[in-house]
Amino acid sequence: MAESPAVAAAEASGIAFRIVEHGPVRSLAEAAAARGVEVPDVVKTIVVRVGDGDYRFVLVPGDRVISWPKLRALLGVNRLSMPDAATARDATGYERGTITPFGSSTAWPVVADERILGREITLGAGRHGVALAVDADAAIEALGAAVADVSEPEA
């Protein structure tokens, strides 16, 4: 794989990681199978708009979704939203489906759902069909992420 901002940032952080390359996938289940992991270990990096020009990365296990009330309470805000694809790309430098806090064009604060602790997870790597497999605890430390219960089961 050619060097990418995500890989360069992971290398610079000093954490151990593996690059997992796979073909196109159409679902989280396909991504998990292609990466050789369980669905909860395909961690989604979701960009959340807190205010004008202010975003957060939220890391959520693949089988869960953001709990908006929990996240609002954690961040101390009354309103959050998800930016459209173009705005998310402008805020991070990555297309949807490839977004990762590693190597983002802006180092937005990161919130990690507590359920990823103690696991090897896969995250986007800045390109479709490529993931970073990392120890979640090491990634959380490298990213300076806040850890909290911010998810709920997918309906």
Coordinates of all heavy atoms in Angstrom, one line a residue, residues 1-7 19-23 35 93-100 123-132:
M1 N 0.8 -1.2 0.0 CA 0.0 0.0 0.0 C 0.9 1.2 0.0 O 1.8 1.3 0.7 CB -0.9 0.0 1.2 CG -1.7 1.2 1.4 SD -2.7 1.2 2.9 CE -2.8 3.0 3.2
A2 N 0.5 2.2 -0.8 CA 1.3 3.5 -0.8 C 1.1 4.2 0.5 O 0.0 4.0 1.1 CB 0.8 4.3 -2.0
E3 N 2.0 4.9 0.9 CA 2.0 5.7 2.1 C 0.7 6.6 2.1 O 0.4 7.2 1.1 CB 3.2 6.5 2.3 CG 3.3 7.2 3.6 CD 3.7 6.3 4.8 OE1 3.9 5.1 4.6 OE2 3.7 6.8 5.9
S4 N 0.0 6.6 3.2 CA -1.1 7.5 3.3 C -1.0 8.3 4.6 O -0.2 7.9 5.5 CB -2.4 6.7 3.4 OG -2.5 6.1 4.6
P5 N -1.7 9.4 4.7 CA -1.6 10.2 6.0 C -2.0 9.3 7.2 O -1.4 9.5 8.3 CB -2.6 11.3 5.8 CG -2.7 11.5 4.3 CD -2.5 10.1 3.7
A6 N -2.9 8.4 7.1 CA -3.4 7.6 8.2 C -2.2 6.6 8.6 O -1.9 6.5 9.8 CB -4.6 6.7 7.8
V7 N -1.6 6.0 7.6 CA -0.5 5.1 7.9 C 0.7 5.9 8.5 O 1.3 5.5 9.5 CB 0.0 4.3 6.7 CG1 1.2 3.5 6.9 CG2 -1.2 3.3 6.3
I19 N -1.6 -3.4 8.5 CA -2.4 -2.9 7.4 C -3.1 -4.1 6.8 O -2.5 -5.1 6.5 CB -1.5 -2.2 6.3 CG1 -0.8 -1.0 6.9 CG2 -2.4 -1.9 5.1 CD1 0.2 -0.4 6.0
V20 N -4.4 -4.0 6.7 CA -5.3 -5.1 6.2 C -5.9 -4.5 4.9 O -6.7 -3.6 4.9 CB -6.4 -5.5 7.2 CG1 -7.2 -6.6 6.6 CG2 -5.8 -5.9 8.5
E21 N -5.5 -5.1 3.8 CA -6.0 -4.7 2.5 C -7.0 -5.8 2.0 O -6.8 -6.9 2.1 CB -4.9 -4.6 1.4 CG -4.0 -3.4 1.8 CD -3.0 -3.1 0.7 OE1 -3.4 -2.7 -0.4 OE2 -1.8 -3.3 0.9
H22 N -8.2 -5.3 1.5 CA -9.2 -6.2 1.0 C -9.9 -5.5 -0.1 O -9.8 -4.3 -0.3 CB -10.2 -6.6 2.1 CG -10.8 -5.5 2.9 ND1 -11.8 -4.7 2.4 CD2 -10.5 -4.9 4.1 CE1 -12.2 -3.8 3.3 NE2 -11.3 -3.9 4.3
G23 N -10.7 -6.2 -0.8 CA -11.5 -5.6 -1.9 C -12.7 -4.8 -1.4 O -12.8 -4.6 -0.2
R35 N -11.7 -8.6 6.8 CA -10.6 -8.3 7.7 C -10.3 -9.4 8.7 O -9.3 -9.3 9.4 CB -11.0 -7.0 8.5 CG -11.2 -5.8 7.6 CD -11.7 -4.6 8.4 NE -11.9 -3.5 7.5 CZ -12.3 -2.3 7.9 NH1 -12.5 -2.1 9.2 NH2 -12.5 -1.3 7.0
G93 N -10.3 15.4 5.6 CA -9.4 15.0 4.5 C -9.7 13.6 4.0 O -9.1 13.2 3.1
Y94 N -10.7 13.0 4.5 CA -11.1 11.6 4.1 C -12.5 11.5 3.7 O -13.4 12.2 4.2 CB -10.9 10.6 5.3 CG -9.5 10.5 5.8 CD1 -9.2 10.7 7.2 CD2 -8.5 10.1 5.0 CE1 -7.9 10.6 7.7 CE2 -7.2 9.9 5.5 CZ -6.9 10.2 6.8 OH -5.6 10.0 7.3
E95 N -12.7 10.6 2.7 CA -14.1 10.3 2.3 C -14.8 9.4 3.3 O -14.1 8.6 4.0 CB -14.1 9.5 0.9 CG -13.6 10.3 -0.2 CD -13.6 9.4 -1.5 OE1 -14.5 8.5 -1.6 OE2 -12.8 9.6 -2.4
R96 N -16.1 9.5 3.3 CA -16.9 8.6 4.2 C -16.5 7.1 3.8 O -16.3 6.8 2.7 CB -18.4 8.8 4.0 CG -18.9 9.9 4.8 CD -20.4 9.7 5.1 NE -20.8 10.8 5.9 CZ -22.0 11.4 5.7 NH1 -22.8 11.0 4.8 NH2 -22.3 12.4 6.4
G97 N -16.4 6.3 4.8 CA -16.0 4.9 4.6 C -14.6 4.7 4.7 O -14.1 3.5 4.8
T98 N -13.8 5.8 4.8 CA -12.3 5.7 5.0 C -11.8 6.5 6.2 O -10.7 6.5 6.5 CB -11.6 6.2 3.7 OG1 -11.7 7.6 3.6 CG2 -12.1 5.5 2.4
I99 N -12.8 7.2 6.8 CA -12.4 8.2 7.9 C -11.8 7.5 9.0 O -12.2 6.4 9.5 CB -13.6 9.0 8.3 CG1 -14.1 9.9 7.1 CG2 -13.3 9.8 9.5 CD1 -15.4 10.6 7.4
T100 N -10.7 8.1 9.5 CA -10.0 7.7 10.7 C -9.4 8.9 11.4 O -9.1 9.9 10.7 CB -8.8 6.7 10.3 OG1 -8.1 6.4 11.5 CG2 -7.9 7.3 9.3
L123 N -9.8 -0.1 12.0 CA -10.2 1.3 11.8 C -10.0 1.6 10.3 O -9.1 1.0 9.7 CB -9.4 2.3 12.6 CG -9.5 2.3 14.1 CD1 -8.4 3.2 14.7 CD2 -10.9 2.8 14.5
G124 N -10.7 2.6 9.8 CA -10.4 3.1 8.4 C -8.9 3.5 8.3 O -8.3 3.9 9.3
A125 N -8.4 3.4 7.1 CA -7.0 3.8 6.9 C -6.9 4.9 5.8 O -5.8 5.0 5.2 CB -6.2 2.6 6.5
G126 N -8.0 5.6 5.5 CA -7.9 6.7 4.6 C -8.1 6.3 3.2 O -8.2 7.2 2.3
R127 N -8.3 5.0 2.9 CA -8.6 4.5 1.5 C -9.6 3.4 1.6 O -9.6 2.6 2.5 CB -7.4 4.0 0.8 CG -6.4 5.1 0.4 CD -5.2 4.5 -0.4 NE -5.5 3.3 -1.1 CZ -4.6 2.4 -1.4 NH1 -3.4 2.5 -1.0 NH2 -4.9 1.3 -2.1
H128 N -10.5 3.3 0.6 CA -11.5 2.2 0.5 C -10.7 0.9 0.4 O -9.7 0.8 -0.3 CB -12.4 2.4 -0.6 CG -13.4 3.6 -0.4 ND1 -14.4 3.5 0.4 CD2 -13.4 4.8 -1.0 CE1 -15.1 4.7 0.4 NE2 -14.4 5.5 -0.4
G129 N -11.2 -0.1 1.1 CA -10.6 -1.4 1.0 C -9.3 -1.6 1.8 O -8.6 -2.6 1.7
V130 N -9.0 -0.7 2.7 CA -7.8 -0.7 3.5 C -8.2 -0.4 5.0 O -9.0 0.5 5.2 CB -6.7 0.2 3.0 CG1 -5.5 0.1 3.9 CG2 -6.4 0.0 1.6
A131 N -7.6 -1.1 5.9 CA -7.9 -0.9 7.3 C -6.6 -1.0 8.1 O -5.7 -1.6 7.7 CB -8.9 -1.9 7.9
L132 N -6.6 -0.3 9.3 CA -5.5 -0.5 10.3 C -6.0 -1.4 11.4 O -7.1 -1.1 12.0 CB -5.2 0.9 10.9 CG -4.6 1.9 9.9 CD1 -4.3 3.2 10.7 CD2 -3.3 1.4 9.3

